[in-house]
Structures are given as structure tokens and as C-alpha cells.
Amino acid sequence: GESVGLHLPTLSVQEGDNSIINCAYSNSASDYFIWYKQESGKGPQFIIDIRSNMDKRQGQRVTVLLNKTVKHLSLQIAATQPGDSAVYFCAENIVGGSYIPTFGRGTSLIVHP
Amino acid sequence: DAMVIQNPRYQVTQFGKPVTLSCSQTLNHNVMYWYQQKSSQAPKLLFHYYDKDFNNEADTPDNFQSRRPNTSFCFLDIRSPGLGDAAMYLCATSRDDGSYEQYFGPGTRLTVT
């Protein structure tokens, strides 16, 4: 079936660098996306979302970019800190459809001091 | 603070011995979910409740059951745990008002001996 996938299972960066986490989705009907952060031993936590009528959305130190043409989503973290070390999941939904999200595989971000 | 609470945080059970995991929420959300998450994998939806309506995923084993006695509480019963059921079990909630964000509890880590 259709699914959301991630290109890199593990990403290692140095503290202070910018991080980019990628997500490819295959369901062209998906029009709402959420990035979640899951720290070790905790449940996923909402970071930022984006709807398909936008191609960019910014939060505090995070930016999500959406390229509908190639069905690609990315999460950019500026000035990465050790506290950003976690697994990041993208999730997709269809607005007006099922409220059940489809989760991607996850990328582990490791930030080295 | 409004939140999703899971008890216990760590549960050890013996092979074949029934176990119950608990989830409660103070968010007054009408949708509650149970996910199973194994190491380095995305959460896998087992079932969810929309109010009192129970929705089972097609590939959820019969060994897993759930109860939702009221809006605030939801239970996951594993009737005969096998070694393959060792995992993190995540409870989540969401509203049904067009907001697709899920609010996760901290999870219960289940060990089967």
C-alpha cells in the first residue's frame, strides 16, 4: 500500500550545525503533514505541521518545506542542539478523510557536542 | 496541565500471563488510540476509539483487546503475551474537529519473560 518513507535512518551532526531531515510520501492525495519528535523513552511530540496549500512553514528554529511536485517533505532544524537528539517522524493525512495518520519510518538525529 | 497519562511506565509479565496497560487523558478528546512501537520503528496502530465506537486494525492480533469505559480512560489487554509482544505501547488522543494532531502519552515499556 501507499506509505510515507524517509531517506536517511540516521543523521549525525555537530552542535550548532543545521540539520535537514527528509521524508518522501507516495499518496498524492495527502494534503496535511505533521512532524513529530520522539525522545528516548518518551512518546512522540508535535513539532510543526503544514498543509498542502503552503510550501514552507516556520517555527522556532524549525522550518518545514513541502514539494508537492516530487512528493517530498523536509524538516530543517537551525543551530542544532544536543536536546534535538531524537527520532523524527513525518505523518501524513488527508484533510476531510480519515483522521488516522500514516507515519513514516523515522530518522534518528544524533547531535554531537 | 492537560495531558495523556500511561500506567505503568514499565511492565514485566511472563509468557502467557494476561496483562493490562492503562491510559487516561485530561484533554477531553473523543478519539483515543493504542499503538505498538518496536525499536527503531514507527508506531503501529492497533486500534482506536471514536467516542465509544471501537475500530480494530485488520492486522491486529486477537490477542490484543481494548476497553474504553468512559471518555477519560482506555485500557489495552494482552490476553496471552508472547515474546514478540515485547514493545513500547503508546496511547494517543486527538480531537475530531479537523485538527489532526495526536497527543501521545509517555508509553509503557512491556517486557515478556
Side-chain angles (χ1 to χ4, degrees):
Chain A
E2 296 183 302
S3 64
V4 178
L6 292 171
H7 294 303
L8 297 174
T10 303
L11 177 65
S12 292
V13 300
Q14 290 296 127
E15 182 178 0
D17 287 352
N18 296 333
S19 301
I20 300 176
I21 299 170
N22 296 303
C23 176
Y25 64 95
S26 57
N27 187 347
S28 56
S30 294
D31 53 6
Y32 179 70
F33 305 87
I34 295 177
W35 279 101
Y36 287 92
K37 173 186 180 183
Q38 186 175 21
E39 297 177 79
S40 180
K42 297 182 179 179
Q45 300 296 311
F46 174 94
I47 302 174
I48 192 167
D49 61 355
I50 190 168
R51 292 184 182 262
S52 61
N53 61 351
M54 305 171 69
D55 53 19
K56 180 179 180 179
R57 189 158 191 227
Q58 287 185 292
Q60 188 177 19
R61 280 200 309 116
V62 295
T63 300
V64 56
L65 299 177
L66 176 62
N67 186 329
K68 296 180 287 294
T69 302
V70 295
K71 295 196 282 289
H72 184 267
L73 192 68
S74 69
L75 177 70
Q76 301 179 358
I77 305 174
T80 313
Q81 303 168 359
D84 295 326
S85 294
V87 177
Y88 291 81
F89 294 99
C90 65
E92 61 176 317
N93 278 99
I94 300 172
V95 175
S98 171
Y99 44 84
I100 308 296
T102 299
F103 280 91
R105 189 162 53 121
T107 292
S108 176
L109 176 65
I110 301 171
V111 182
H112 301 282
Chain B
D1 288 339
M3 56 198 305
V4 181
I5 302 162
Q6 290 188 244
N7 286 304
R9 294 294 312 279
Y10 300 91
Q11 176 73 59
V12 180
T13 191
Q14 293 178 332
F15 182 95
K17 185 175 181 181
V19 66
T20 295
L21 309 183
S22 301
C23 177
S24 64
Q25 55 133 339
T26 61
L27 298 161
N28 204 32
H29 288 171
N30 54 340
V31 190
M32 292 188 77
Y33 311 77
W34 278 106
Y35 286 89
Q36 180 192 66
Q37 186 179 32
K38 297 193 174 181
S39 182
S40 301
Q41 295 183 20
K44 178 182 183 299
L45 184 64
L46 296 173
F47 25 60
H48 75 279
Y49 278 91
Y50 187 105
D51 291 323
K52 287 185 178 284
D53 294 333
F54 176 72
N55 298 272
N56 199 35
E57 292 299 296
D59 58 354
T60 298
D62 292 340
N63 196 28
F64 292 87
Q65 303 286 318
S66 185
R67 296 170 283 134
R68 189 179 185 186
N70 54 53
T71 300
S72 301
F73 287 87
C74 198
F75 301 97
L76 170 62
D77 300 308
I78 308 177
R79 295 192 297 186
S80 182
L83 298 178
D85 296 328
M88 174 76 87
Y89 289 88
L90 295 165
C91 175
T93 70
S94 70
R95 303 187 299 265
D96 68 342
D97 59 358
S99 169
Y100 294 87
E101 180 183 349
Q102 290 183 307
Y103 296 75
F104 285 84
T108 295
R109 170 72 64 187
L110 178 68
T111 301
V112 182
T113 61

